[in-house]
Amino acid sequence: MIGTPNNGRLRLAFSLVNGSQDLGPESTPVSHAGSECGAIEFTREDVEALVSEKMKSKNKFNYKERCENMMEYIKRLRLCIRWFQELEGEYAFEQEKLRSALELTERRCYEMEMALKNKDEEMNLIILELRNSLASLQEQLVKEESEKKAAMDSLVKEKEARDSIERTKASLSEELDKVRAELDSANQRIASINDMYKLLQEYNSSLQIYNSKLQTDVTAAHETIKRGEKERLAAVENLHNLRGEHKSLQDQLTSSIASQDGVMKQKDALLNEVACLRMELHQIKDDRDQYQQQAQSLAVEASKYKELATNSSGLEEKCLSQGNQIQILHDQLAVAERKLQMSDTFALEKRKEFEEQKEIIEELHKCLEDAEFKLIEGEKLRKKLHNTILELKGNIRVFCRVRPQLADDSSSNHGKVFSYPTVMEYLDRSIDMAHNGQKHSFIFDKVFMPDVSQEEVFVEISQLVQSALDGYKVCIFAYGQTGSGKTYTMMGKPGQPDEKGLIPRSLEQIFQTIQALQHQGWRYEMQVSMLEIYNETIRDLLSTNRDSSRFENGVTGKQYIIKHNANGNTQVSDLTIVDVQSSREVSFLLDRAAQSRSVGRTQMNEQSSRSHFVFTMRITGVNESTEQQVQGVLNLIDLAGSERLSKSGSTGDRLKETQAINKSLSSLADVIFALAKKEDHVPFRNSKLTYLLQPCLGGDSKTLMFVNLSPEPSSAGESLCSLRFAARVNACEIGTPRRQLNIRTSNSRLSYG
C-alpha cells in the first residue's frame, strides 16, 4: 500500500520522470490551487510503486474487501492521472508562453537590427558630409590665408609708397618755403620802392620852386619808379606762375605716384614675360635660320643633283628625299610660328588676369582699411552711447527680483502675494503686492519674476559691468530680508555652472572682454580684495594670518581703518590686495572667502549670512597705441539679511548679530532718505557699511541695487518694507559719474570708491 505521496521525505520533481528539464528560475512556479490534487506531487518511485502494486487480501473470496482495496487503488490512480493532466496542461501553457516570448524577442531583435542598420547608414552619411565640409573648409582656409598673405604684401608695398610720397611731399614743402621766402624779399623790395617814391615826390615838390634844371632828375626818378613797378608786377606774375606750377606739380606728383607703383609692377611682370618670349623667339629664329641655311644648302645640292640627274638615277632619289626633308622643315617652321602666336595671346591673357587680380587686391585692401576704421570708430561710439544710456537711466538704479517657491517653504499659502501687471508701458517694470486686503503697486527699472534664470538677470547688468572696464566706478549690491535669495543672486549655487551668480559671471565677462581688446592695443591689470563687516567690525577674508581675523569678544585682532582721499577713492588700511590675471584665480579667492565668511542658523534661514560681504576689483587699463589710460572700480556687495527679532528667534550671539545687522541697514536707509531729500548733512559715518560705500552712494559712481523678495505670505510684512525702501532708493539723485583717467602709481592701494 502506498501511503502519503511524499512519504515524509523530500522528493524529486516530476520533470525527472519523463526525462525533461526543470523550469528555469525565472519561470512561473506550478500552481495547484483549485485542483483536487492539492499540493500533492508524485515522484518516479511513487508512480512505479502505484503501477506495480498488487492487490492483497487475507481472503481471496472476500470480494467486499477486495472491492474496497480496488476502489482505494482506483482513487489513487485517478488522482495520479489528474495530476499528470494538470502538469501536462501547465507545461503546454508554459511552452506557449515561452514560444510567444521567443517570437516577441526575435521581433525586437529584428527591429533593433533594422534600427541599428538605419543608424549606421545615417552615421555614414553624416561622416561623409562632415568630411566633405571639412575638406571645403580646409580649402577655404588655405584660400583665405593666401588672400590674406597677398593683401598683407600689398599693404607693405603701399606703406613703402606712402613713405616715398611723404618724402616727396617734404621736399616740395621745402621748395614752397623757399618760394615764400623769395616772395617775402620781393614784397620788402616793393615796400622800399614805395617809400623811395614818396620821398622823391616830396623832394620834387620842394625842388620845383627853386630849380627847374632838376626836372630831368625828376623824369629819371619817374622812370626809376616805373621800372620798380614793372619789377613788382613781374615778381607778382612770377609768384602766381610759381604757385600754379607748384599746384600742377603736386597734382602730377600724386597722380604719377599713384600710377607709378602699378606701372612699375606691370612693367616688371611684362619685362619678365617679354624676356622669356624674346628668348623663345630668338631660339625659334635661330632654328629658322639654321633651317633656312640647311634649305639653302639643300637647294644648292638639289641644283647640283638636277644637273647630274641625267648621269644617275640614284641622285634623283637623293634629291627627292632632300625635298621631303625641306618640306618637313617648312612644316616645323610653321608650327613654331603658330606657337609664337599662341604664346603672344597667352601673354595678353595673363596680363589681363594680372590687372584684374591687382584691382581685386586694391579693393580688398580698401575694404580692410574701411573695416579697421569702422571697428575703431564703432568701439568709440559704443562706449559713448553705453555710458550715455546708463546716465539717462539714472545713477542709482533699482532691480527687483522675487525668488521662486522652495520645497521647504510653508504650504499654507492663502493666495499669491505678488502679481505682475501686463500693461505695455510698465511691462517687466512694475510689481503689485497684496497685504492685509490692500494692494500696493511699485515701479522699478526692472522686475524679475520667479522663473527668470541667472543668465537673464546678468544680461541686464552686463553693460554696467562693462563700464568698469571703460574707467568708471560701479557698485552693485543685493538687499532684502533673510532667505530672500541675495546670496544666490550674487554668488549662485556652487558646483552648478548654469546657476552661477552675478559675481562669477561678471568676472568671466571682464576677462573675456580684456582678451578681445588686446588686438586693439589695450593692456589691463586687475587687483582684488574681499572683506566682510561683522558686528560693525571689518574683517579681511583673504588674510593668510588666521589669528588676525579671529574674533575675541566681538573684536578682531587687527583693526582696519577706512579713509577717503581727495579724488573720491576709498582705502582700507592693511587690507589684503591680490593681483589676478584670470577668472580661475578669482574663483579660487571667492571660495576661500566664502569659507571664512560668518554664517549662522536662524528660524528664518538654515544658512543665514550674518555679515555684509564686499567684493572689490580695481581695473587699470592702458592703450599702447593711443596712450589712453583708464582706471575703473567694480564693487559687488552681498548685504546681510534684514529680519525682525520676534520672527528670527535670535538669542545670545545671534541676537547681537541681528541687532548689528539691523542697525547698519537702518543707517543705510537714513543715508538714502537724506540723499532723496537732498539734505545738507548725510549720516555716512553712522555705520561702517555706509562709510565704506560713501563714494558709491553720494559720489560719482554708477550704482545698482537688487531688492530680493520672498514669495511666502508669512514674509509679506518684510517684503513690503523692502519694496518701500527700494522705491525711496530709486527716487535718489546723486552726482554725475566721472571717468577715471589717472595713472596708477607704484604704491597705490585698492580703492572702493
Side-chain angles (χ1 to χ4, degrees), residues 68 121 128 214 247 310 365 406 425 467-468 538 550 635:
E68 289 176 356
E121 293 177 354
L128 183 60
L214 298 177
K247 187 174 181 181
T310 56
H365 181 63
L406 302 178
E425 183 180 359
S467 296
I538 293 177
R550 187 178 300 167
N635 293 317

Side-chain angles (χ1 to χ4, degrees), residues 168-178 180 246 250:
T168 308
K169 185 177 179 181
S171 63
L172 289 175
S173 63
E174 291 176 357
E175 292 179 1
L176 181 61
D177 294 334
K178 292 179 181 178
R180 286 178 179 173
H246 176 66
Q250 281 187 339

